[in-house]
Amino acid sequence: QSALTQPASVSGSPGQSITISCTGTSSDVGGYNYVSWYQQRPGKAPKLMIYDVSKRPSGVSNRFFGSKSGNTASLTVSGLQAEDEADYFCSSYTRSSTWVFGGGTKLTVL
Amino acid sequence: QVQLVESGGGVVQPGRSLRLSCAASGFTFNSYGMHWVRQAPGKGLEWVAIIWYDGTNEYSADSVKARFTISRDNSKNTLYLQMNSLRVEDTAVYYCVRGIDYYATPDIWGQGTMVTVAS
């Protein structure tokens, strides 16, 4: 049950786009379309931003876009805003009927 | 609205036990799988365990297997995590999380309860 691999940090200026990658294996990310992304602000509980690779829950901005290719999923945030600054975690269902999270990525809006 | 309220956290010595509870409201509890997810101070999220909507199946992470047990009481809309043989490395905020769709994708999170294992 190794954690999914995410970059430790990414940054961008307001209005720009950034992409966060999430790499797993064929036993998790690559084997199922059950990848989700969470935003966590300091001191707060995580919030679901993307599920089933690319679906957005009601109320989540359409500036957040999810995709997947092979064993790597990606979260793209377009039109960066100051309020997007947070930690982002990916997650995937696994072949063992368990779930696994990524190590997290700190997004800084410059 | 959907609400998950964890309780039962605290400070406990290594080797001791603790039981966490999560009171659910605002949704049909017995229709959803439920998870426990933890986060050590300053660290990332770690999935702990899942239990199916009807309690017929549960799975847990290798790091807690044989020490932690997830359970639920659908008549009380409550999720539990029995934690035995606690270790210092179990120190974390423990979140109760609702799961949606067939594989119970974690969606709504509680505010968490802090567990500190220290002598």
Side-chain angles (χ1 to χ4, degrees):
Chain A
Q1 294 177 340
S2 298
L4 306 176
T5 301
Q6 298 181 232
S9 63
V10 297
S11 62
S13 299
Q16 290 185 330
S17 295
I18 62 92
T19 296
I20 300 171
S21 61
C22 170
T23 302
T25 69
S26 58
S27 295
D28 38 64
V29 174
Y32 303 91
N33 287 324
Y34 289 96
V35 176
S36 47
W37 290 90
Y38 303 87
Q39 177 191 69
Q40 186 179 34
R41 295 195 171 101
K44 300 295 186 181
K47 173 188 175 184
L48 179 66
M49 304 301 284
I50 295 287
Y51 68 101
D52 294 356
V53 176
S54 60
K55 297 178 182 177
R56 274 186 306 273
S58 174
V60 172
S61 171
N62 59 10
R63 298 185 297 105
F64 291 83
F65 175 78
S67 62
K68 190 185 85 167
S69 178
N71 296 337
T72 298
S74 298
L75 174 70
T76 298
V77 185
S78 61
L80 270 179
Q81 299 179 1
E83 67 195 45
D84 299 331
E85 187 161 294
D87 292 327
Y88 291 84
F89 297 88
C90 62
S91 182
S92 174
Y93 180 74
T94 82
R95 187 172 58 188
S96 302
S97 301
T98 61
W99 284 79
V100 62
F101 283 90
T105 299
K106 181 177 179 60
L107 169 59
T108 300
V109 180
L110 302 171
Chain B
Q1 73 282 17
V2 174
Q3 195 167 13
L4 299 168
V5 179
E6 302 93 337
S7 61
V11 181
V12 61
Q13 293 179 327
R16 304 297 291 265
S17 298
L18 206 60
R19 188 177 83 155
L20 305 182
S21 299
C22 170
S25 60
F27 65 102
T28 305
F29 183 69
N30 61 15
S31 295
Y32 291 83
M34 296 294 296
H35 303 260
W36 286 101
V37 178
R38 68 184 181 183
Q39 187 170 33
K43 302 297 184 181
L45 300 173
E46 180 185 13
W47 180 82
V48 174
I50 183 175
I51 187 167
W52 284 20
Y53 68 100
D54 57 0
T56 55
N57 282 288
E58 61 255 24
Y59 301 91
S60 59
D62 289 343
S63 58
V64 305
K65 205 179 293 287
R67 298 189 301 124
F68 290 11
T69 302
I70 187 172
S71 63
R72 65 191 297 160
D73 186 337
N74 284 346
S75 69
K76 296 181 179 179
N77 289 351
T78 302
L79 176 73
Y80 302 101
L81 183 67
Q82 178 66 43
M83 304 185 294
N84 298 331
S85 302
L86 282 162
R87 304 168 179 169
V88 171
E89 55 265 35
D90 294 322
T91 295
V93 173
Y94 284 74
Y95 293 102
C96 164
V97 191
R98 188 182 75 169
I100 58 171
D101 67 40
Y102 185 78
Y103 288 117
T105 296
D107 73 330
I108 304 295
W109 298 61
Q111 284 306 299
T113 186
M114 182 71 200
V115 173
T116 301
V117 184
S119 54

